[in-house]
Amino acid sequence: MADKKKETEEVTFTPTGTGIRTNGEIIRSTELPEPTDKKHDELGLSDDDVIDMYDQMYLQRRFEERAMQMYQKGKFGGFLHLYMGQEAISTGTAYALNDDDDIITAYRDHGWGLVRGVSPKEGMAELYGKETGCSNGKGGSMHFANIEEHFWGGYGIVGGHIPLGGGIAFANKYKQNGRVTACFLGDGAVPQGALHETMNMSQNWGLPCIYAVENNGYAMGTAVHRHSTGEIVDRADGFDMKKMVMNGMDVFTVYEKMKEIATDIRENSQPWFVEIRTYRYRGHSMSDPMKYRTKEELEEYEKLDPVERMKNYLLDEDIIDEDKVEEIKSSVEDTVMEAIEFAEESDYPEKEALYDHMFAEDDYPFHT
């Protein structure tokens, strides 16, 4: 006869709580490593380089702030995943890699497009769904791309682009062209099987690829500690893959570390797994009320804002003065407003263009 059923105990499967405490304590979702203490000239960057870096970072910020306003006005619909707070990663990486190195990312892609040749006009028109957009208005926010400058998007399915990144790296090794592939993903994509399958094959085949996690603390509205066990970067250990954690709120750190990694890959043709810790200031998308984090936590990270950090560096080092800062801001503002005007005046794609650019063959049988 079976034993009397024991009194049911509480069963839990995931860490409880959201990280929000009621005692006033600020619990950061992501602890940042120390940034580099090197100045720009010690990293081989000129004064003009760092001014351009600030210009690019400020452009990404204002582009998205204005895009958010246009979305709220109902100028366009669909999804809008903003990159604000993470601009140091796109800018530092673009400067660290060669222009013909390949970059592929997920759906938080506006900043990546802007640093890889998508003009503000093409970007804004893409958000509006206009034919003058970088993907002819048929991709929208999640599908910025510029293959002429080796930026392969902009991919909507979480983790779905990771094998594509491995495939690009495979092609580069096969062609012996010396290019490095940088495949960026969010922390929410780390538990995906596709990442682990791709890392296994990449290590086995010695593919020249950087798998870089932009850990902004939250997978949609779920804090890292609630969806992922252990340290993200330690996923590399299972594949004996080289790894690194870096501060993603400081553009000089990203530049320094990504340049070191790219150099190692070119010399040794072995992949790296990188965790770049950062923070996003806006919700997962425009419908996200951000109830999973405190106002105090957000304010703590805003004190580390990468765009302000870069501006203050330029002023503190007497590279530019306040007048030059205002000149850059004014120029960027004009550029973004012109992009909005361009997008609003552009036409929508013709319905006959629905299947254009979907198939390699022009006379694909499905075209009727």
Side-chain angles (χ1 to χ4, degrees):
M1 184 177 177
D3 294 337
K4 184 179 180 181
K5 186 177 181 180
K6 295 181 179 178
E7 186 175 346
T8 302
E9 297 178 353
E10 183 180 1
V11 178
T12 59
F13 294 96
T14 60
T16 57
T18 63
I20 297 177
R21 305 296 188 265
T22 57
N23 60 2
E25 182 183 2
I26 297 169
I27 305 296
R28 287 184 172 178
S29 60
T30 304
E31 291 295 333
L32 297 171
E34 287 296 316
T36 183
D37 58 3
K38 293 180 181 176
K39 295 187 176 181
H40 70 286
D41 50 351
E42 296 176 281
L43 296 170
L45 294 167
S46 67
D47 287 0
D48 288 341
D49 287 335
V50 290
I51 295 171
D52 183 60
M53 282 178 154
Y54 172 65
D55 195 314
Q56 289 193 25
M57 293 168 73
Y58 189 70
L59 172 61
Q60 293 170 63
R61 181 65 59 86
R62 286 304 291 161
F63 179 91
E64 290 205 315
E65 288 174 341
R66 287 296 188 188
M68 180 176 66
Q69 290 175 349
M70 296 304 108
Y71 185 94
Q72 290 169 331
K73 287 182 178 179
K75 296 288 186 178
F76 60 91
F79 292 101
L80 186 68
H81 303 93
L82 301 175
Y83 195 62
M84 293 181 205
Q86 302 179 216
E87 297 92 342
I89 301 174
S90 54
T91 307
T93 300
Y95 255 84
L97 299 183
N98 295 340
D99 290 343
D100 63 350
D101 285 332
D102 294 289
I103 294 175
I104 186 168
T105 188
Y107 46 75
R108 207 173 299 281
D109 59 356
H110 307 153
W112 287 107
L114 293 173
V115 298
R116 267 302 173 99
V118 174
S119 72
K121 288 182 177 178
E122 293 171 323
M124 196 64 74
E126 189 59 40
L127 295 179
Y128 273 69
K130 299 297 183 70
E131 64 178 359
T132 52
C134 57
S135 295
N136 301 107
K138 294 181 284 187
S141 170
M142 296 194 284
H143 297 283
F144 277 31
N146 182 9
I147 60 174
E148 286 79 14
E149 297 196 25
H150 298 264
F151 173 53
W152 299 91
Y155 199 90
I157 305 301
V158 175
H161 68 295
I162 299 169
L164 302 181
I168 295 169
F170 180 92
N172 285 335
K173 181 168 183 175
Y174 186 79
K175 294 178 179 178
Q176 301 182 56
N177 56 25
R179 292 176 190 153
V180 170
T181 300
C183 177
F184 288 85
L185 55 139
D187 50 278
V190 171
Q192 289 277 8
L195 173 65
H196 301 271
E197 295 160 19
T198 306
M199 288 173 69
N200 178 63
M201 296 177 74
S202 297
Q203 182 68 14
N204 203 25
W205 293 347
L207 299 186
C209 192
I210 305 168
Y211 297 99
V213 179
E214 292 188 78
N215 178 7
N216 60 26
Y218 296 97
M220 295 184 75
T222 306
V224 172
H225 74 276
R226 297 191 68 225
H227 73 71
S228 186
T229 186
E231 296 291 342
I232 284 177
V233 71
D234 291 341
R235 300 296 192 280
D237 294 345
F239 307 97
D240 197 25
M241 187 177 288
K242 296 177 181 177
K243 65 180 183 180
M244 183 183 291
V245 179
M246 69 179 76
N247 185 315
M249 303 296 279
D250 178 67
V251 68
F252 290 163
T253 301
V254 175
Y255 170 78
E256 178 187 33
K257 300 305 181 185
M258 292 299 272
K259 198 168 187 65
E260 289 176 1
I261 291 169
T263 299
D264 181 82
I265 290 176
R266 277 185 237 281
E267 291 177 353
N268 302 303
S269 190
Q270 287 292 321
W272 278 72
F273 186 66
V274 179
E275 180 186 351
I276 307 177
R277 293 181 181 170
T278 181
Y279 198 80
R280 62 168 154 79
Y281 295 149
R282 297 292 173 179
H284 170 70
S285 64
M286 292 300 292
S287 59
D288 179 0
M290 299 188 288
K291 293 183 177 179
Y292 45 82
R293 61 184 179 187
T294 64
K295 181 178 69 175
E296 290 79 11
E297 178 186 286
L298 177 59
E299 289 174 349
E300 281 296 301
Y301 278 97
E302 286 177 335
K303 295 175 184 174
L304 307 173
D305 181 40
V307 181
E308 283 296 302
R309 186 189 189 97
M310 191 61 174
K311 183 193 75 174
N312 292 334
Y313 178 87
L314 292 169
L315 293 172
D316 293 343
E317 295 295 319
D318 292 324
I319 298 171
I320 59 175
D321 56 20
E322 290 283 2
D323 289 342
K324 181 62 177 178
V325 170
E326 292 306 313
E327 180 184 325
I328 292 172
K329 287 184 174 181
S330 177
S331 175
V332 166
E333 184 69 15
D334 290 344
T335 299
V336 174
M337 295 308 293
E338 289 170 6
I340 292 172
E341 183 177 357
F342 174 79
E344 293 190 346
E345 292 178 352
S346 295
D347 294 325
Y348 290 104
E350 298 291 340
K351 63 180 181 181
E352 291 78 11
L354 182 61
Y355 296 110
D356 289 352
H357 311 111
M358 291 184 64
F359 306 103
E361 301 90 344
D362 291 334
D363 59 347
Y364 192 79
F366 191 67
H367 286 188
T368 56

